[in-house]
């Protein structure tokens, strides 16, 4: 009975199959045509919105007003430099140059600023004023005035340091910045660097260690001597990895090699115990020997 109920003649089956194909084709065309139409409409809206936004952007943009006034590139702050028409990244480069100890000694030095065009420099050059404090010290060679300058009212005296003679010497490990700046070729900057590096080392054992300071004037070493060096020693069997790598002669990999050796083999009795490790060359061991204990 069921077979007879659902039985369809062959001619009827062809009609139904044809109708089904037509219906599927119609829906497929509607789907494809409708999707393209929707996408086209969306793109048109986005394009229209983009044109509208672009128009608003350019209509609301106000060019930055450039001002001209006298300035010292050694002391001018960021607000002044931006008002002169410099870009923010150029201002950052000026700050980095000054932080590294750089000095603009003459107006032409400012022309070396990265990104500064010839036109910009020529417009700024008449307004550059370099303070006499930043002029080369060689300009004082023919100065017949005294090195002592007195203020007219407050009787405040500024005394320039008197440099020591070639036959005089200063003990490196006991010298402070005040005595170090009396050495020819040493100013406040290198005086601070000498003291700071000595503190990091734990004391100097050789004058040649000053060569490890960037751009140190080697001619100044002849005025310094080492008397009875007694550097501060590191107990490499007790200090942690972070404490070890604070020393200028121990990097992260060397500190890790020391802690790994202690963990695997026990206490270190001599730096020669580490000589088979790639990070401890004979030169490293020799340089580090005065500063370690066990």
């Amino acid at each position: 009975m069921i077979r007879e109920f659902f039985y369809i003649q062959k001619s009827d089956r062809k009609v139904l199959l044809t109708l089904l194909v037509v219906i599927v084709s119609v829906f497929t065309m509607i789907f494809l045509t409708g999707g393209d139409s929707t996408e086209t409409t969306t793109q048109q809206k986005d394009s229209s919105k983009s044109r509208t936004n672009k128009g608003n952007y350019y209509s609301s943009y106000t060019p930055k007003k450039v001002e001209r006034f006298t300035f010292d590139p050694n002391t001018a702050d960021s607000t002044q430099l931006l008002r002169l028409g410099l870009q923010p990244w150029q201002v950052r480069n000026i700050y980095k140059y000054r932080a590294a100890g750089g000095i603009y000694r003459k107006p032409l030095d400012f022309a070396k600023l990265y990104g500064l065009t010839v036109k910009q420099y020529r417009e700024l050059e008449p307004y550059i004023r370099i303070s006499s404090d930043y002029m080369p010290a060689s300009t004082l060679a023919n100065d017949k005035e005294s090195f002592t300058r007195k203020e007219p009212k407050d009787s405040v005296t500024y005394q320039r340091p008197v440099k020591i003679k070639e036959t005089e010497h200063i003990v490196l490990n006991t010298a402070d910045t005040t005595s170090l700046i009396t050495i020819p070729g040493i100013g406040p900057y290198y005086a601070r660097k000498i003291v700071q590096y000595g503190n990091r080392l734990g004391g100097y054992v050789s004058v040649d260690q000053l060569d490890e300071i960037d751009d140190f004037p080697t001619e100044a070493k002849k005025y310094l001597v080492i008397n009875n060096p007694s550097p501060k020693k590191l107990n490499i069997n007790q200090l942690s990895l972070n404490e070890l790598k604070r020393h200028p002669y121990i990097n992260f990999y060397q500190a890790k090699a020391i802690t790994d050796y202690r963990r695997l083999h026990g206490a270190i009795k001599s730096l020669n115990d580490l000589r088979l490790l790639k990070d401890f060359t004979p030169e490293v061991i020799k340089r580090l020997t005065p500063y370690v204990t066990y």
Side-chain angles (χ1 to χ4, degrees):
M1 294 295 292
I2 296 176
R3 292 179 60 186
E4 292 178 358
F5 181 78
F6 286 102
Y7 176 76
I8 301 175
Q9 294 183 358
K10 185 176 181 180
S11 58
D12 294 336
R13 287 200 300 269
K14 290 182 179 180
V15 174
L16 289 174
L17 183 60
T18 302
L19 182 60
L20 182 61
V21 171
V22 172
I23 293 174
V24 171
S25 300
V26 171
F27 276 104
T28 302
M29 292 178 63
I30 292 174
F31 175 77
L32 294 176
T33 305
D36 293 342
S37 176
T38 303
E39 183 178 355
T40 302
T41 304
T42 302
Q43 290 177 352
Q44 291 175 348
K45 290 182 179 179
D46 292 342
S47 177
S48 176
K49 183 178 180 181
S50 176
R51 288 195 298 270
T52 302
N53 290 340
K54 187 179 295 184
N56 291 338
Y57 173 77
Y58 285 111
S59 63
S60 63
Y61 174 73
T62 304
K64 181 174 61 175
K65 183 179 179 181
V66 177
E67 302 178 34
R68 291 289 179 257
F69 50 86
T70 58
F71 70 101
D72 187 340
N74 291 301
T75 57
D77 59 25
S78 59
T79 303
Q80 293 174 318
L81 296 172
L82 291 172
R83 286 168 55 199
L84 290 166
L86 297 178
Q87 298 299 319
W89 56 269
Q90 290 177 311
V91 176
R92 287 195 296 270
N93 287 339
I94 293 174
Y95 270 72
K96 290 179 181 178
Y97 178 73
R98 297 193 313 208
I103 295 174
Y104 297 99
R105 300 187 184 278
K106 54 184 182 296
L108 193 58
D109 290 343
F110 193 69
K112 299 177 183 178
L113 177 63
Y114 180 76
L116 190 69
T117 64
V118 174
K119 179 182 178 181
Q120 287 176 314
Y121 173 72
R122 287 176 177 171
E123 291 176 352
L124 292 172
E125 184 180 18
Y127 300 94
I128 299 176
R129 300 289 186 272
I130 305 294
S131 171
S132 59
D133 293 337
Y134 296 99
M135 298 300 290
S138 58
T139 58
L140 299 174
N142 297 324
D143 191 358
K144 296 182 180 180
E145 296 180 0
S146 171
F147 283 113
T148 302
R149 178 169 58 87
K150 295 183 178 181
E151 296 294 336
K153 295 182 179 180
D154 300 333
S155 68
V156 177
T157 302
Y158 299 92
Q159 182 70 41
R160 297 181 183 273
V162 178
K163 299 296 184 179
I164 62 175
K165 300 177 182 179
E166 291 189 2
T167 56
E168 298 178 308
H169 297 87
I170 291 177
V171 179
L172 181 56
N173 283 320
T174 59
D176 56 14
T177 56
T178 303
S179 58
L180 288 171
I181 60 176
T182 63
I183 298 174
I186 300 295
Y189 173 79
Y190 281 113
R192 290 194 302 270
K193 287 293 184 181
I194 292 171
V195 174
Q196 290 170 0
Y197 192 60
N199 291 335
R200 290 183 60 203
L201 285 170
Y204 293 95
V205 295
S206 171
V207 174
D208 292 331
Q209 289 176 289
L210 294 172
D211 294 330
E212 297 165 11
I213 300 175
D214 292 339
D215 301 323
F216 185 81
T218 56
E219 64 275 6
K221 293 194 299 182
K222 63 184 179 181
Y223 297 95
L224 295 161
V225 294
I226 301 287
N227 286 343
N228 301 320
S230 55
K232 182 180 179 181
K233 296 183 179 293
L234 308 173
N235 191 321
I236 60 175
N237 284 317
Q238 297 179 357
L239 298 179
S240 65
L241 185 148
N242 287 331
E243 291 171 330
L244 288 169
K245 70 184 182 68
R246 290 174 187 167
H247 196 275
Y249 290 167
I250 302 178
N251 60 35
F252 171 81
Y253 300 102
Q254 292 167 338
K256 190 174 186 305
I258 292 173
T259 55
D260 288 346
Y261 185 94
R262 291 183 341 212
R263 177 171 52 84
L264 297 173
H265 304 286
I268 299 173
K269 298 179 181 179
S270 170
L271 284 179
N272 289 328
D273 294 345
L274 307 174
R275 68 185 184 281
L276 297 180
L277 302 178
K278 64 178 182 178
D279 293 310
F280 286 90
T281 62
E283 292 78 12
V284 172
I285 291 176
K286 180 180 179 181
R287 186 172 65 166
L288 193 56
T289 298
Y291 294 100
V292 300
T293 186
Y294 314 98

